[in-house]
CSV table of all heavy atoms in Angstrom, one decimal:
chain,number,residue,atom,x,y,z
A,1385,LEU,N,3.0,-23.5,-1.1
A,1385,LEU,CA,3.3,-22.7,-0.1
A,1385,LEU,C,3.5,-23.5,1.2
A,1385,LEU,O,2.5,-23.9,1.9
A,1385,LEU,CB,2.2,-21.6,0.1
A,1385,LEU,CG,1.9,-20.7,-1.2
A,1385,LEU,CD1,0.7,-19.9,-1.0
A,1385,LEU,CD2,3.1,-19.9,-1.4
A,1386,PRO,N,4.8,-23.8,1.5
A,1386,PRO,CA,5.1,-24.8,2.6
A,1386,PRO,C,4.7,-24.4,3.9
A,1386,PRO,O,4.6,-25.3,4.8
A,1386,PRO,CB,6.5,-24.9,2.4
A,1386,PRO,CG,7.1,-23.7,1.8
A,1386,PRO,CD,6.0,-23.3,0.9
A,1387,ASN,N,4.5,-23.2,4.2
A,1387,ASN,CA,4.2,-22.8,5.6
A,1387,ASN,C,2.7,-22.7,6.0
A,1387,ASN,O,2.4,-22.2,7.1
A,1387,ASN,CB,5.0,-21.5,6.0
A,1387,ASN,CG,6.4,-21.7,6.4
A,1387,ASN,OD1,6.8,-22.8,7.0
A,1387,ASN,ND2,7.3,-20.9,6.0
A,1388,GLY,N,1.9,-23.1,5.1
A,1388,GLY,CA,0.5,-23.3,5.5
A,1388,GLY,C,-0.2,-22.0,5.6
A,1388,GLY,O,0.1,-20.9,5.1
A,1389,GLU,N,-1.3,-22.1,6.4
A,1389,GLU,CA,-2.3,-21.0,6.6
A,1389,GLU,C,-2.0,-20.1,7.7
A,1389,GLU,O,-1.4,-20.6,8.7
A,1389,GLU,CB,-3.7,-21.6,6.8
A,1389,GLU,CG,-4.3,-22.5,5.8
A,1389,GLU,CD,-5.6,-23.2,6.1
A,1389,GLU,OE1,-6.0,-22.9,7.3
A,1389,GLU,OE2,-6.1,-23.9,5.3
A,1390,LEU,N,-2.3,-18.9,7.6
A,1390,LEU,CA,-2.2,-17.9,8.7
A,1390,LEU,C,-3.0,-18.4,9.9
A,1390,LEU,O,-2.7,-18.2,11.1
A,1390,LEU,CB,-2.6,-16.6,8.3
A,1390,LEU,CG,-2.5,-15.4,9.4
A,1390,LEU,CD1,-1.1,-15.2,9.9
A,1390,LEU,CD2,-3.1,-14.1,8.8
A,1393,LEU,N,-1.2,-20.7,12.1
A,1393,LEU,CA,-0.2,-19.9,12.8
A,1393,LEU,C,-0.7,-19.3,14.0
A,1393,LEU,O,-0.2,-19.5,15.1
A,1393,LEU,CB,0.6,-18.9,11.9
A,1393,LEU,CG,1.6,-18.0,12.7
A,1393,LEU,CD1,2.8,-18.9,13.1
A,1393,LEU,CD2,2.0,-16.9,11.8
A,1408,PHE,N,2.3,-8.8,8.6
A,1408,PHE,CA,1.4,-9.5,7.7
A,1408,PHE,C,0.3,-8.6,7.2
A,1408,PHE,O,-0.1,-8.8,6.0
A,1408,PHE,CB,0.7,-10.7,8.5
A,1408,PHE,CG,1.7,-11.8,8.8
A,1408,PHE,CD1,1.9,-12.3,10.2
A,1408,PHE,CD2,2.3,-12.5,7.8
A,1408,PHE,CE1,2.6,-13.4,10.4
A,1408,PHE,CE2,3.1,-13.6,8.0
A,1408,PHE,CZ,3.3,-14.0,9.3
A,1434,LEU,N,-5.3,-17.1,3.7
A,1434,LEU,CA,-4.1,-16.5,3.7
A,1434,LEU,C,-2.9,-17.5,4.1
A,1434,LEU,O,-2.8,-18.0,5.1
A,1434,LEU,CB,-4.0,-15.3,4.7
A,1434,LEU,CG,-5.1,-14.2,4.5
A,1434,LEU,CD1,-5.0,-13.1,5.6
A,1434,LEU,CD2,-5.1,-13.6,3.2
A,1435,MET,N,-2.1,-17.7,3.0
A,1435,MET,CA,-1.0,-18.7,3.1
A,1435,MET,C,0.3,-18.0,3.3
A,1435,MET,O,0.5,-16.8,3.2
A,1435,MET,CB,-1.0,-19.6,1.8
A,1435,MET,CG,-2.4,-20.1,1.4
A,1435,MET,SD,-3.0,-21.3,2.5
A,1435,MET,CE,-1.9,-22.7,2.2
A,1436,MET,N,1.3,-18.9,3.6
A,1436,MET,CA,2.6,-18.4,3.8
A,1436,MET,C,3.7,-19.2,3.0
A,1436,MET,O,3.6,-20.4,3.0
A,1436,MET,CB,3.0,-18.4,5.3
A,1436,MET,CG,2.1,-17.5,6.2
A,1436,MET,SD,2.5,-17.6,7.9
A,1436,MET,CE,1.8,-19.3,8.3
A,1437,ASP,N,4.6,-18.5,2.4
A,1437,ASP,CA,5.6,-19.1,1.7
A,1437,ASP,C,6.8,-19.6,2.5
A,1437,ASP,O,6.7,-19.5,3.7
A,1437,ASP,CB,6.0,-18.3,0.5
A,1437,ASP,CG,6.7,-17.0,0.9
A,1437,ASP,OD1,7.1,-17.0,2.1
A,1437,ASP,OD2,7.0,-16.2,0.0
A,1438,ALA,N,7.9,-20.1,1.9
A,1438,ALA,CA,9.0,-20.6,2.6
A,1438,ALA,C,9.6,-19.5,3.5
A,1438,ALA,O,10.4,-19.9,4.5
A,1438,ALA,CB,10.0,-21.2,1.6
A,1440,THR,N,8.0,-17.2,5.0
A,1440,THR,CA,6.9,-16.7,5.8
A,1440,THR,C,6.3,-15.4,5.4
A,1440,THR,O,5.9,-14.5,6.2
A,1440,THR,CB,7.3,-16.7,7.4
A,1440,THR,OG1,8.1,-17.7,7.6
A,1440,THR,CG2,6.1,-16.7,8.3
A,1441,ASN,N,6.3,-15.1,4.1
A,1441,ASN,CA,5.6,-14.0,3.5
A,1441,ASN,C,4.1,-14.4,3.2
A,1441,ASN,O,3.9,-15.6,2.8
A,1441,ASN,CB,6.2,-13.5,2.2
A,1441,ASN,CG,7.6,-12.9,2.5
A,1441,ASN,OD1,7.7,-12.0,3.3
A,1441,ASN,ND2,8.6,-13.4,1.9
A,1442,LEU,N,3.3,-13.5,3.3
A,1442,LEU,CA,1.8,-13.8,3.2
A,1442,LEU,C,1.4,-13.9,1.7
A,1442,LEU,O,2.0,-13.1,0.9
A,1442,LEU,CB,1.0,-12.6,3.8
A,1442,LEU,CG,-0.5,-12.9,4.1
A,1442,LEU,CD1,-0.4,-13.9,5.4
A,1442,LEU,CD2,-1.2,-11.7,4.5
Side-chain angles (χ1 to χ4, degrees):
L1385 300 169
N1387 276 324
E1389 301 173 359
L1390 179 64
L1393 177 66
F1408 288 124
L1434 302 178
M1435 309 293 290
M1436 293 175 292
D1437 66 12
T1440 322
N1441 290 307
L1442 201 71

